[in-house]
Amino acid sequence: MFAQPASTRLSPPRQRRLAMLLAIVGVAATGSAAHAEPSVALDRASISLGAFYADPRIDIGADTQFGRLDTPSSNPKHTTIPRIKADLLIGERHGLAFDYYRYDKNYTPTLSGQTIINGQPVTGTATADADLRLDLAQLAYKWWLGADKDTFGIGLGAAYYSARLDGTATGLVNGVSATARDSVSEHAFAPLLEVAWCHAFTPQVRMYLEASGIKKNGGTINGHIYGGNIGVEWFPFQNIGFVADYGISKIALRRDSSRDADLNIRLTGPSAYVKMRF
């Protein structure tokens, strides 16, 4: 009474083929799940707070209302630049990476060419007190290749940079000391390309190599920003660790308008972060 109808019974060859198909599907699913596991060199989400102890080399040239403002081959003292980074892994192979820092320092550049203060030519040498502020923010989508202890990432995204130079010039006009202020600023978005390699010696000790490039063509602002760094991560605690790296950033921007401006900055030095992972 429990016999199956002839139309629903499977012949022995069909049973073997079905069993083989189920086995293949099971193995494939198991292999896919194992392959889909993210690399131990990556975190699901992390935030790094720290600073870049930079050795700057700066060249600035800007047309202002009181003449040409230049700082040829200026090499100020080491400076500490606050920096924040964040990473988010989406699924097993995709992610987002964010990086931001601000450089804000005072300089005493020289004035070249014809210096004008309040519409009058300056006699003798004029002095200036200038402040440079540079903001750089990067957001990239990353695709991670590899698994286990090594992974390689390719990132595409956008960068926002803003540069501002404020200056105060002081000189003699008709034998009387005169002072004038001016400001040159610009900001723009540009495409970003990133590459990265991460290796985990253990889940607590890892190293990484990163490089990025930003290129801006067209409009009044042109130039490029390149950077790279190598670092080591150590997690003495499950979710809190420390990061140390050494990096270089090369920034070259030019504004072509009625008042031209050039900015060339090279920052090199170590960085240190506290990293929180989730």
Side-chain angles (χ1 to χ4, degrees):
M1 58 184 292
F2 297 101
Q4 293 181 336
S7 60
T8 61
R9 286 201 213 102
L10 293 176
S11 64
R14 289 183 178 177
Q15 290 177 345
R16 286 194 296 269
R17 285 197 295 269
L18 178 60
M20 184 177 297
L21 178 61
L22 292 175
I24 292 173
V25 171
V27 171
T30 303
S32 176
H35 181 71
E37 284 298 318
S39 169
V40 293
L42 301 176
D43 299 312
R44 283 294 180 185
S46 66
I47 298 176
S48 299
L49 303 175
F52 181 19
Y53 186 63
D55 178 18
R57 182 176 297 276
I58 301 173
D59 296 288
I60 303 172
D63 293 328
T64 70
Q65 69 174 4
F66 46 72
R68 182 73 179 176
L69 191 64
D70 288 300
T71 61
S73 300
S74 177
N75 192 13
K77 296 181 180 179
H78 284 77
T79 184
T80 301
I81 304 173
R83 196 165 188 173
I84 179 172
K85 296 182 178 183
D87 291 275
L88 175 65
L89 192 62
I90 303 173
E92 315 301 335
R93 297 291 183 187
H94 308 276
L96 296 174
F98 174 78
D99 186 8
Y100 170 79
Y101 68 83
R102 167 180 285 187
Y103 185 83
D104 189 352
K105 294 299 173 184
N106 291 318
Y107 299 97
T108 55
T110 59
L111 296 176
S112 65
Q114 183 182 18
T115 302
I116 304 296
I117 294 181
N118 298 328
Q120 300 295 320
V122 173
T123 57
T125 302
T127 61
D129 182 18
D131 178 76
L132 169 66
R133 190 178 76 185
L134 175 69
D135 292 271
L136 178 61
Q138 302 177 187
L139 179 63
Y141 157 80
K142 279 187 177 179
W143 181 37
W144 293 100
L145 305 171
D148 198 20
K149 294 183 178 181
D150 291 276
T151 185
F152 178 79
I154 301 174
L156 295 174
Y160 171 81
Y161 52 83
S162 172
R164 182 182 181 92
L165 178 66
D166 297 308
T168 300
T170 302
L172 293 178
V173 176
N174 298 325
V176 179
S177 178
T179 300
R181 289 188 57 83
D182 200 6
S183 176
V184 180
S185 63
E186 196 61 73
H187 58 88
F189 287 91
L192 166 70
L193 173 65
E194 289 187 344
V195 293
W197 171 74
C198 303
H199 173 75
F201 297 100
T202 70
Q204 291 75 38
V205 180
R206 306 184 300 199
M207 71 170 294
Y208 60 89
L209 291 169
E210 296 176 334
S212 64
I214 302 167
K215 184 70 173 177
K216 177 67 169 62
N217 290 322
T220 58
I221 285 290
N222 295 277
H224 61 261
I225 302 176
Y226 300 134
N229 52 291
I230 177 172
V232 177
E233 300 177 339
W234 173 52
F235 287 89
F237 310 102
Q238 179 65 29
N239 298 107
I240 299 178
F242 303 96
V243 182
D245 71 19
Y246 188 89
I248 179 171
S249 293
K250 178 68 173 67
I251 302 165
L253 302 175
R254 175 174 176 79
R255 184 177 75 169
D256 297 311
S257 65
S258 59
R259 291 166 64 178
D260 294 342
D262 298 279
L263 175 64
N264 291 278
I265 300 178
R266 188 185 71 180
L267 304 172
T268 58
S271 298
Y273 305 91
V274 174
K275 185 172 185 177
M276 294 163 283
R277 60 181 180 179
F278 311 96

